[in-house]
């Protein structure tokens, strides 16, 4: 048995999604920009996919732009908003994905944008009073705060953040990569100017995603060179990727309640089994609190031991694929900027288990037992 518990990194493609994509690899190969029938039939499939995504998110198809994934969508939202609207102040947090953090750093270096980082506590809860304080004292601002943290699973209250941004006339971008397809986003209820999605995080194909861009916040394109995506993203569309993304999101919404309950039960079982079998185990961030964290992610904090240096490698030898860096940046792990920002004791180990609809309780039991044995041996 090989166990895959790294679904926050990527998920296996759903067979139903593959079946929807296959005809667009083989039969319907036309370029959607071509005006002949080969092109037109593909163009119409892309527009249908756009309507599907827009319908699920309760918004207009004119506000959905397909991209190469979450990273590009985050880059486009942040860089192009600052550029188009001459914004010189941005607010984010040190716990964001590098798609946001590195983009912020670049804006600081190359475009003279001042970036403020929100305060957070030792469990990664953001200080929203600080957000208000910053917004009250600054000119027109772009706020970028993720919906769920990909390492810890922490959920941020983007409804509340959106309302604060609205009050101060700030533009709000939320990196929703980890929640898209796992929670329902109703864009008529959310005060966000931008949210994003990446198909491979919800059993769709890799290399395709989308940007939702509020029609009232016009931005110039990130990628030049063609009139595709209504002049918002040059380049021939990833046709079968787009078809797969829409199908995957449709399935995710169709089965969401059932999968939510099932995956949460796997996560709860892992928490319970680890507590039962391992002394000194705890959980990073808000990971173990069910209504404050993603049901797909559990970040485990492990006792100080020599094994921590080679933790992911040792799990891999035991046929377990997981991820997550330690708080230190030496050894086999690259280190995690998120765990460091939380001041997690670097002597302790950390591992992120992330679950999907394809995991089973037997797999969870095997992983918990294996981990407990590894530490018992080492600590004995
Ligand atoms: C929170 C978050 N943002 C952005 C990305 C990047 O998405 P993509 O792999 O589609 O570029 C990821 C992927 O790990 C993520 O977890």
């Amino acid at each position: 048995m090989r166990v895959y518990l790294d679904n926050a990194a990527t998920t296996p493609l759903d067979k139903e999604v593959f079946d929807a994509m296959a005809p667009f690899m083989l039969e319907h190969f036309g370029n959607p920009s071509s005006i002949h029938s080969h092109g037109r039939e593909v163009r119409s499939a892309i527009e249908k996919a756009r309507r599907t995504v827009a319908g699920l998110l309760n918004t207009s198809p004119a506000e959905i732009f397909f991209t190469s994934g979450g990273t590009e969508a985050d880059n486009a939202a942040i860089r192009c908003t600052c550029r188009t609207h001459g914004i010189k102040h941005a607010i984010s947090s040190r716990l964001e994905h590098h798609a946001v953090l590195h983009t912020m750093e670049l804006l600081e270096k190359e475009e003279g944008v001042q970036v403020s980082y929100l305060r957070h506590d030792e469990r990664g809860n953001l200080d929203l009073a600080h957000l208000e304080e910053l917004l009250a004292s600054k000119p027109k601002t772009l706020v970028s705060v993720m919906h769920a943290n990909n390492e810890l699973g922490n959920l941020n209250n983007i409804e509340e953040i959106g309302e604060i941004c609205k009050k101060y006339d700030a533009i709000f971008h939320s990196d929703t990569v980890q929640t898209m397809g796992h929670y329902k986003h109703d864009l008529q209820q959310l005060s966000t100017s931008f949210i994003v999605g990446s198909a491979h995080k919800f059993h769709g194909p890799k290399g395709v995603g989308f940007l939702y861009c509020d029609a009232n916040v016009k931005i110039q394109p990130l990628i030049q060179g063609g009139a595709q995506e209504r002049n918002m993203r040059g380049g021939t569309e990833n046709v079968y990727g787009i078809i797969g993304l829409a199908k995957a999101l449709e399935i995710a919404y169709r089965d969401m309640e059932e999968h939510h309950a099932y995956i949460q039960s796997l996560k709860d079982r892992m928490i319970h089994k680890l507590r039962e079998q391992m002394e000194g185990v705890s959980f990073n961030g808000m990971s173990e609190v069910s209504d404050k964290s993603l049901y797909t992610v559990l970040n485990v904090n492990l006792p100080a031991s020599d094994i921590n240096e080679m933790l992911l490698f040792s799990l891999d030898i035991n046929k377990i694929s997981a991820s997550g860096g330690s708080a230190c940046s030496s050894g086999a792990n690259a280190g995690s900027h998120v765990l460091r920002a939380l001041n997690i004791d670097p002597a302790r180990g950390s591992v992120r288990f992330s679950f999907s609809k394809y995991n089973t309780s037997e797999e969870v039991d095997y992983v918990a037992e294996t981990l407990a044995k590894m530490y018992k041996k080492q600590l004995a």
Side-chain angles (χ1 to χ4, degrees):
M1 166 159 77
R2 278 213 73 90
V3 182
Y4 184 76
L5 281 188
D6 201 11
N7 291 283
T10 196
T11 53
L13 191 72
D14 191 314
K15 172 73 168 56
E16 244 189 285
V17 173
F18 177 75
D19 289 343
M21 292 168 68
F24 290 87
M25 294 172 178
L26 300 169
E27 296 144 48
H28 311 301
F29 60 85
N31 187 323
S33 297
S34 301
I35 53 165
H36 48 61
S37 66
H38 282 84
R40 286 199 314 271
E41 67 178 8
V42 175
R43 158 73 42 222
S44 117
I46 290 181
E47 295 316 318
K48 184 166 171 245
R50 198 187 312 280
R51 285 195 300 278
T52 300
V53 173
L56 294 169
L57 302 179
N58 197 17
T59 193
S60 145
E63 297 178 307
I64 302 294
F65 300 94
F66 293 115
T67 65
S68 67
T71 303
E72 183 193 320
D74 285 336
N75 266 263
I78 298 168
R79 293 171 74 164
C80 301
T81 298
C82 288
R83 208 180 289 153
T84 310
H85 297 274
I87 285 176
K88 291 292 175 199
H89 181 243
I91 300 175
S92 193
S93 108
R94 298 269 181 212
L95 309 176
E96 293 290 315
H97 188 274
H98 282 147
V100 168
L101 272 185
H102 288 173
T103 307
M104 290 290 176
E105 283 159 19
L106 191 81
L107 285 176
E108 252 181 328
K109 211 158 66 189
E110 293 188 351
E111 317 240 351
V113 175
Q114 188 211 338
V115 184
S116 308
Y117 294 93
L118 291 175
R119 287 192 291 260
H120 57 80
D121 67 15
E122 73 289 349
R123 296 186 77 183
N125 295 302
L126 299 177
D127 181 349
L128 298 190
H130 188 210
L131 174 63
E132 286 227 46
E133 221 175 90
L134 286 167
L135 285 173
S137 63
K138 297 286 182 188
K140 183 90 176 165
T141 295
L142 167 71
V143 175
S144 179
V145 175
M146 69 204 319
H147 190 189
N149 187 280
N150 50 300
E151 294 197 33
L152 304 168
N154 282 25
L155 282 168
N156 291 316
N157 188 339
I158 56 170
E159 290 83 7
E160 190 180 350
I161 295 171
E163 288 311 310
I164 297 173
C165 289
K166 201 157 123 188
K167 181 169 155 196
Y168 292 94
D169 195 27
I171 297 177
F172 179 32
H173 159 255
S174 182
D175 177 349
T176 47
V177 164
Q178 288 292 340
T179 52
M180 188 58 62
H182 301 294
Y183 293 84
K184 289 189 173 155
H185 295 90
D186 180 347
L187 286 163
Q188 300 312 308
Q189 301 301 322
L190 275 177
S191 295
T192 46
S193 299
F194 303 98
I195 66 169
V196 305
S198 174
H200 73 110
K201 308 289 187 184
F202 49 91
H203 305 288
K206 294 170 182 58
V208 63
F210 69 87
L211 172 67
Y212 154 78
C213 176
D214 181 340
N216 299 315
V217 186
K218 297 261 179 302
I219 55 168
Q220 285 150 10
L222 179 70
I223 296 175
Q224 309 289 334
Q228 290 89 351
E229 295 297 294
R230 300 183 310 289
N231 288 312
M232 274 287 283
R233 198 228 181 219
T236 301
E237 295 89 338
N238 174 358
V239 176
Y240 37 82
I242 291 169
I243 302 300
L245 180 151
K247 188 69 187 173
L249 198 61
E250 200 178 290
I251 296 169
Y253 269 66
R254 184 190 72 197
D255 302 338
M256 196 174 286
E257 273 158 40
E258 186 194 329
H259 289 157
H260 185 147
Y262 176 66
I263 297 168
Q264 181 71 55
S265 77
L266 295 178
K267 177 173 164 172
D268 291 345
R269 188 178 182 98
M270 181 70 94
I271 294 173
H272 175 73
K273 292 271 167 188
L274 287 175
R275 282 224 174 92
E276 197 178 60
Q277 297 175 47
M278 284 184 80
E279 238 171 78
V281 72
S282 62
F283 302 94
N284 292 318
M286 299 302 284
S287 213
E288 75 188 293
V289 185
S290 62
D291 61 338
K292 295 269 188 270
S293 72
L294 265 176
Y295 55 92
T296 50
V297 170
L298 181 65
N299 197 310
V300 187
N301 187 277
L302 296 152
S305 157
D306 287 348
I307 209 143
N308 292 337
E309 275 284 302
M310 303 289 273
L311 181 54
L312 297 179
F313 183 62
S314 307
L315 286 169
D316 193 33
I317 287 175
N318 282 289
K319 299 187 165 33
I320 298 164
S321 298
S323 87
S326 62
C328 71
S329 52
S330 63
N333 292 328
S336 150
H337 67 282
V338 174
L339 297 181
R340 276 198 298 278
L342 260 53
N343 285 323
I344 304 284
D345 178 358
R348 292 182 61 91
S350 289
V351 60
R352 178 188 70 182
F353 294 126
S354 44
F355 310 88
S356 87
K357 60 182 179 180
Y358 295 124
N359 290 121
T360 63
S361 51
E362 289 75 28
E363 289 179 332
V364 168
D365 293 356
Y366 169 74
V367 173
E369 265 164 42
T370 307
L371 201 62
K373 266 192 223 148
M374 274 164 53
Y375 279 81
K376 242 178 233 146
K377 254 192 237 159
Q378 194 66 22
L379 298 172

